[in-house]
Amino acid sequence: MEAPLYPDFSFDASAPSSAQPAYWVGPRHLAGDDGRLYDVAADTLAGLGWTSLTIVRGRHEPDEAPEDRQVLRSTVLHISPDTLRWAQWVAADEPFHLGELPIAWQISARADASSPLAQWSAYFTPDIPGEALVDFLVALDAREQPAVPLAGPELVLDAVTAHGWLRDIDQPAAGATDPTFTSHLSLGEVPPLIQDADPGVLAAETDEAGPTGWQAWAEPVLGAPCLWAASFGPSVPHDLVACFATALSSTAPVLRRVLPESTRERLLRAPAG
C-alpha cells in the first residue's frame, strides 16, 4: 500500500486540474501557485541539470502485517552539478511553519563544497507564485559563487518600485507594499528556525533584535491567514532576492487553472486560448 506524502500537492502534470479551463490572471502576487509548486520548480531544476534524489520512507504500525506496511515515496532533494546549492521539497516532512503556513521548498547554498553546512537558506510556502520561485532558482544556478553578496538591499526595493509598489512610509529603506496594501516585502528580523551561517541567528537573546533578512508575504484580508509567505536568511545575497521580487511584482499576467479562494474575487482574468 502506498500513501501520498503530501496529498494537497500533485506531482503529476496530468492531474485533473489540467482539464480545467485556463485563464490569464493578475496581479501575479495574488494568483497562487496553480497547485503546481512542486512541478514548476522540479522541472526547472531538471532543465538546469540538477540531480534529483528520491528518499523512500516507510510507516509501520504495531501488529501490522508486512504486506500492509505503508511506503511513502517522494522526490525531495535536488542538487546542483557543483553541489554548492540544493533545493528540498520539505512539505512531505511535516515542516515548520512560516506565517502559519507550512514550508514547501527550502533552498540553500554554501560557499565551499568541503563544508557540509549551508551558508544561507530561503523558505517558500504553498501558493507562492511559481514564476517568482523559478526566477530565484534560475538566478541562483547562474551564479558562480552563490554565497557571495554582490549588491546592497536597495536593489530589492528598486525591483518592486519599478513595477508600481510603494515604499513603506515608516521604513522607506527597508520595506514596500503593492498598491492595494495586500502583499509586502520587508527587510526585518528573521523568524525562528531560519538556518543561516550568520552566528547571530542562533546567538540573539530573546529580548534583543536578531539579524535581519528579507521577508515577503501576502495578506488578502487584514488579520486573516496569509495566502503565502517567503523568508530569506540574513546571508541570502540581495541580488537573488531582487530576482524573486522582480518576478513577484511583475505586471505581466500568468496562466492559471486553479485560483486561490481568498483572492479569487480580486483577480483580473481573461480566458486563455
Side-chain angles (χ1 to χ4, degrees):
M1 178 186 299
E2 292 191 5
L5 273 165
Y6 207 69
D8 292 336
F9 289 88
S10 170
F11 290 77
D12 183 0
S14 62
S17 63
S18 62
Q20 298 177 4
Y23 296 91
W24 290 106
V25 304
R28 178 179 300 190
H29 57 90
L30 298 180
D33 61 15
D34 208 27
R36 300 188 66 252
L37 192 60
Y38 175 84
D39 297 294
V40 295
D43 291 348
T44 297
L45 296 174
L48 294 172
W50 290 36
T51 300
S52 61
L53 301 178
T54 300
I55 297 177
V56 178
R57 297 179 179 85
R59 184 168 60 209
H60 182 65
E61 301 294 338
D63 302 323
E64 183 180 46
E67 62 271 16
D68 293 332
R69 175 176 294 185
Q70 296 186 37
V71 176
L72 311 181
R73 291 192 177 97
S74 177
T75 302
V76 297
L77 186 63
H78 303 260
I79 305 174
S80 66
D82 61 7
T83 73
L84 293 180
R85 53 215 101 191
W86 59 94
Q88 186 175 7
W89 174 256
V90 295
D93 297 324
E94 299 181 1
F96 65 90
H97 286 62
L98 183 65
E100 300 184 359
L101 298 171
I103 301 297
W105 280 102
Q106 176 178 340
I107 299 167
S108 306
R110 56 184 176 176
D112 190 337
S114 63
S115 171
L117 301 177
Q119 185 76 16
W120 58 257
S121 291
Y123 305 80
F124 306 87
T125 73
D127 266 329
I128 200 163
E131 294 81 3
L133 178 58
V134 164
D135 278 17
F136 180 81
L137 288 169
V138 170
L140 172 60
D141 180 80
R143 254 174 161 267
E144 290 187 8
Q145 296 178 305
V148 177
L150 297 178
E154 191 70 16
L155 187 64
V156 179
L157 296 174
D158 289 344
V160 293
T161 55
H163 290 154
W165 285 37
L166 309 173
R167 288 183 182 254
D168 187 284
I169 296 177
D170 298 321
Q171 295 181 306
T177 182
D178 79 286
T180 67
F181 301 96
T182 302
S183 296
H184 308 268
L185 187 67
S186 176
L187 183 61
E189 186 175 354
V190 297
L193 303 180
I194 298 301
Q195 298 178 17
D196 196 271
D198 186 334
V201 172
L202 297 177
E205 299 293 337
T206 55
D207 58 346
E208 296 179 352
T212 59
W214 286 103
Q215 316 301 315
W217 69 96
E219 188 179 15
V221 178
L222 187 62
C226 291
L227 172 63
W228 56 261
S231 180
F232 302 86
S235 300
V236 178
H238 296 295
D239 58 292
L240 292 181
V241 182
C243 291
F244 166 85
T246 297
L248 177 71
S249 60
S250 172
T251 57
V254 291
L255 192 65
R256 293 289 188 271
R257 290 183 173 88
V258 180
L259 302 180
E261 189 67 33
S262 62
T263 59
R264 183 171 300 177
E265 301 305 319
R266 292 172 176 252
L267 296 171
L268 300 176
R269 70 187 86 169

